[in-house]
Amino acid sequence: LIFLRFHRLALRCIVKMSCFSFIVLLPLNFTGGGRANASDLKGYVGSLLFTDFLRFTMANVSGGSPRLWVHCFAAYLLTGIVVRELLVEYEAFNSIRHRYLLSREPHLRTVLVTNIPRHLRTSLKITNYFKHVYPNAVKSVIMCQNLQHLESLIRKRHALLSCIEKEVLILCRAEKRKLFAQSKLEACQTSLATCSCLESLGI
């Protein structure tokens, strides 16, 4: 937000000064005639190197010309415009900052405490300690611990569980094949026994 307001501030200063420049300064510089009348060789060479762009600048105004007072006034005018815009923007920033601080957001009242001794690294102990040091000033305490070692152990556990599940799946498939083969063998034995019984009966 402040970054965009800064760009808007610069745009306001440029637009206001551009109006004065296009209406007053550019016609004044263009009609200055500082390089138009070359009385010596140096002036003639300078007029040859003088481009159309320079005709719209203060370089086209003769030295000691009263027109230079207009450029002096333009400098003071630009300074006044910038100072006024900065004051207006400061008032706006001050108002925004006060509204932000009065919004009672949680992060505006949160304090990060590091390097806590090991014997105080519990929420209850830290709460009692700060309530003793700052009575009626602490609303809640949240402990944030470094859990990188625990996370590495959890990753190892997940990897081990994946391996175990894979081995259990392979074992189940092998047992399923054995049961299927055994059922086929029992079916063959039953059919053979039935055939032998029929032969013995002479059928």
Side-chain angles (χ1 to χ4, degrees):
L1 177 62
I2 300 300
F3 181 73
L4 295 177
R5 291 190 68 91
F6 173 76
H7 282 278
R8 194 171 69 176
L9 168 66
L11 182 62
R12 290 203 306 266
C13 294
I14 291 172
V15 169
K16 290 181 179 180
M17 195 59 199
S18 296
C19 295
F20 179 79
S21 299
F22 281 107
I23 295 174
V24 178
L25 290 182
L26 290 183
L28 187 74
N29 294 333
F30 186 76
T31 59
R35 296 285 181 172
N37 301 320
S39 58
D40 55 357
L41 180 61
K42 183 178 180 181
Y44 176 73
V45 174
S47 64
L48 292 178
L49 299 176
F50 201 70
T51 61
D52 292 335
F53 173 75
L54 294 178
R55 292 182 184 277
F56 292 95
T57 64
M58 195 169 56
N60 196 33
V61 180
S62 302
S65 174
R67 295 170 180 253
L68 295 176
W69 287 105
V70 181
H71 292 86
C72 180
F73 172 75
Y76 281 104
L77 179 63
L78 177 60
T79 303
I81 290 173
V82 172
V83 170
R84 182 185 177 281
E85 291 297 332
L86 285 175
L87 291 175
V88 172
E89 195 63 29
Y90 175 75
E91 292 296 331
F93 169 76
N94 197 18
S95 176
I96 293 172
R97 184 65 178 172
H98 283 169
R99 289 200 306 268
Y100 174 73
L101 294 176
L102 293 175
S103 62
R104 302 184 65 84
E105 294 292 333
H107 63 274
L108 298 177
R109 309 186 307 275
T110 303
V111 178
L112 176 64
V113 181
T114 58
N115 298 325
I116 300 175
R118 289 187 177 274
H119 65 279
L120 293 176
R121 292 183 182 178
T122 60
S123 298
L124 180 61
K125 291 182 179 179
I126 289 294
T127 303
N128 294 332
Y129 174 78
F130 280 108
K131 285 185 177 180
H132 175 72
V133 178
Y134 304 104
N136 301 323
V138 178
K139 183 178 180 181
S140 63
V141 175
I142 299 175
M143 290 291 296
C144 299
Q145 301 179 0
N146 187 2
L147 302 177
Q148 292 183 355
H149 180 64
L150 179 61
E151 290 175 355
S152 65
L153 293 177
I154 292 174
R155 286 194 295 269
K156 291 180 180 178
R157 177 179 176 274
H158 287 329
L160 185 60
L161 285 176
S162 299
C163 293
I164 292 174
E165 290 175 355
K166 183 179 179 181
E167 294 297 329
V168 169
L169 181 61
I170 294 173
L171 180 62
C172 290
R173 287 178 178 175
E175 291 296 328
K176 187 176 181 180
R177 292 193 190 97
K178 289 180 182 180
L179 290 175
F180 184 71
Q182 186 176 1
S183 62
K184 288 182 66 176
L185 180 62
E186 289 177 355
C188 291
Q189 289 177 353
T190 303
S191 61
L192 289 174
T194 304
C195 291
S196 61
C197 290
L198 293 174
E199 289 178 357
S200 62
L201 295 174
I203 299 175

